[in-house]
């Protein structure tokens, strides 16, 4: 099973709202990722968690707040977003076998976010 | 920093024709290379990857890619296109340190398949 699930599939929010995106995997992967994908563009990395600890933050604005409550779950908390934050948010996971071993990342279907 | 260049934002082929999607990379270390496919309104699905060893890599759905170090290329091919192959294709190189790494994606190539 190589499935990564994401909820919700679609989300519309105002600029003053607080919402959360959820991602779940049951493959025993210990690395999880958030990517942002604008229309007709490639995905861009936002955050990486390794063994439930934040290991990479690509200078993402603080209105995006990631959380990894356990090895199977990854959340992205959203607050005071801007219309330009509208995009497809993709979650991915991979094995984490240690230094120098780069495992395949498996992607979820994404959450399509619209900020009004 | 590593980078990926995909030549051609759109490629159009007839059904049954050869598919060739081009990818060139820039890397200071031996690269890990990937091809992903994205169908409309979906996430990314791994087609194939190159890590070490055999330079001709076979993937799903009849696709394959050849790693050519001298040309810094990792082009994706399929002998005979099918209508269901119409999608966006991304080439990616991995970059990282320690045990965390990220994928650096090319700009993508949209494959159109004509009946």
């Amino acid at each position: 099973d190589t499935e990564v699930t994401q909820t919700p599939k679609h989300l519309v929010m105002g600029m003053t709202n607080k919402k959360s995106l959820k991602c779940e995997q049951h493959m025993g992967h210990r690395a999880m990722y958030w990517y942002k994908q604008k229309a007709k563009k490639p995905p861009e990395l936002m955050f990486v968690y390794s063994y439930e600890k934040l290991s990479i933050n690509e200078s993402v604005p603080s209105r995006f707040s990631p959380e990894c409550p356990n090895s199977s779950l990854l959340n992205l908390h959203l607050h005071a977003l801007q219309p330009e934050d509208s995009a497809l948010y993709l979650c991915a996971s991979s094995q984490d076998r240690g230094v120098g071993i780069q495992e395949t990342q498996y992607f979820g279907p994404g959450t399509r976010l619209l900020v009004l | 920093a590593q980078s990926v260049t995909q030549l051609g934002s759109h490629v159009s082929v007839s059904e049954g024709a050869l598919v060739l999607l081009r990818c060139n990379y820039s890397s200071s270390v031996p690269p890990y290379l990937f091809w992903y496919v994205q169908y409309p309104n979906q996430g990314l699905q791994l087609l194939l990857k190159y890590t070490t060893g055999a330079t001709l890599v076979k993937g799903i759905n009849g696709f394959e890619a050849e790693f050519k170090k001298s040309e810094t290329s990792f082009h994706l091919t399929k002998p005979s296109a099918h209508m269901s192959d119409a999608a966006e294709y991304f080439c990616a190189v991995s970059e990282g340190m320690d045990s965390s790494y990220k994928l650096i994606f090319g700009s993508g190539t949209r494959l159109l398949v004509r009946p």
Side-chain angles (χ1 to χ4, degrees):
Chain A
D1 182 10
T2 56
E3 186 178 26
V4 176
T5 59
Q6 292 186 242
T7 55
K9 290 186 177 180
H10 301 274
L11 180 62
V12 180
M13 61 186 292
M15 290 188 285
T16 59
N17 292 157
K18 287 185 179 180
K19 297 287 185 182
S20 296
L21 309 184
K22 298 186 182 299
C23 173
E24 189 168 5
Q25 57 86 17
H26 294 288
M27 296 178 278
H29 292 172
R30 302 308 297 270
M32 297 187 76
Y33 311 77
W34 280 115
Y35 287 84
K36 175 182 178 179
Q37 186 179 25
K38 299 283 282 185
K40 302 186 186 302
K41 297 291 186 182
E44 294 180 340
L45 183 71
M46 300 174 73
F47 304 102
V48 180
Y49 273 83
S50 177
Y51 288 85
E52 295 103 70
K53 293 185 178 179
L54 184 64
S55 60
I56 296 179
N57 179 340
E58 291 288 283
S59 302
V60 179
S62 60
R63 57 186 184 268
F64 295 91
S65 176
E67 177 195 20
C68 190
N70 60 55
S71 60
S72 300
L73 293 174
L74 184 67
N75 298 321
L76 186 64
H77 303 299
L78 314 174
H79 174 55
L81 294 193
Q82 303 298 311
E84 59 264 29
D85 296 321
S86 298
L88 180 67
Y89 288 84
L90 294 164
C91 174
S93 70
S94 69
Q95 294 282 8
D96 189 339
R97 300 187 200 275
V99 175
I101 302 174
Q102 299 176 2
E103 298 286 346
T104 299
Q105 292 184 25
Y106 295 92
F107 285 80
T111 293
R112 191 163 297 281
L113 174 66
L114 177 62
V115 182
L116 300 177
Chain B
Q2 306 189 68
S3 65
V4 175
T5 301
Q6 291 184 241
L7 294 176
S9 58
H10 291 80
V11 170
S12 180
V13 300
S14 297
E15 190 174 19
L18 171 71
V19 175
L20 171 60
L21 304 183
R22 300 178 184 275
C23 173
N24 289 89
Y25 68 90
S26 171
S27 175
S28 58
V29 297
Y32 282 42
L33 294 161
F34 305 81
W35 274 101
Y36 283 88
V37 61
Q38 186 175 33
Y39 297 99
N41 300 313
Q42 294 189 26
L44 277 70
Q45 180 181 12
L46 178 71
L47 280 177
L48 49 81
K49 68 177 181 181
Y50 169 79
T51 54
T52 59
T55 57
L56 182 62
V57 180
K58 295 187 183 299
I60 63 171
N61 301 340
F63 284 94
E64 62 182 35
E66 186 170 12
F67 171 66
K68 293 187 176 181
K69 184 178 180 180
S70 61
E71 299 177 8
T72 62
S73 68
F74 190 56
H75 302 329
L76 182 71
T77 60
K78 181 174 181 178
S80 177
H82 192 273
M83 296 298 291
S84 60
D85 295 326
E88 188 84 20
Y89 291 80
F90 292 100
C91 181
V93 63
S94 63
E95 174 181 279
M97 56 185 295
D98 299 328
S99 59
S100 295
Y101 74 98
K102 63 181 182 181
L103 289 173
I104 308 296
F105 288 92
S107 55
T109 297
R110 180 165 296 277
L111 177 64
L112 307 171
V113 182
R114 304 185 303 270

